[in-house]
Amino acid sequence: NIAYSYHIRGQTYEQQGKYDKALEYFNKSLDICLNKIGNDHPLVASLYTFIAGVYVEQHKCDKGSGDKY
């Protein structure tokens, strides 16, 4: 599953401190999931949590409030 691969790649970049790349791949995964399973799926909620976590690590907490969607 490509969305899962993007998610794993995002986690890897996050662990390496490469936050911009992590966000890129988390958002790719999120976009696929939103198109395939919709906004009300627990996996989508999990992806939003990962994205918010990256913003927290970057000290950009105001970005983690869902301003993309």
Side-chain angles (χ1 to χ4, degrees), residues 18-49:
K18 298 177 182 177
Y19 300 121
D20 290 336
K21 291 297 273 184
L23 286 172
E24 176 185 341
Y25 282 94
F26 284 145
N27 279 307
K28 284 182 179 189
S29 180
L30 178 63
D31 289 342
I32 291 169
C33 289
L34 286 170
N35 286 325
K36 296 287 183 184
I37 58 179
N39 196 44
D40 293 331
H41 195 279
L43 179 58
V44 172
S46 175
L47 286 164
Y48 280 124
T49 300

Side-chain angles (χ1 to χ4, degrees), residues 2 8-9 12-13 15 18 20-21 27-29 33-34 36 38 42 44 58-61 65-67 69:
I2 190 82
I8 295 301
R9 189 173 279 185
T12 301
Y13 281 125
Q15 291 169 354
K18 298 177 182 177
D20 290 336
K21 291 297 273 184
N27 279 307
K28 284 182 179 189
S29 180
C33 289
L34 286 170
K36 296 287 183 184
V44 172
Q58 291 181 306
H59 304 287
K60 296 180 180 176
C61 295
S65 62
D67 60 333
Y69 296 97

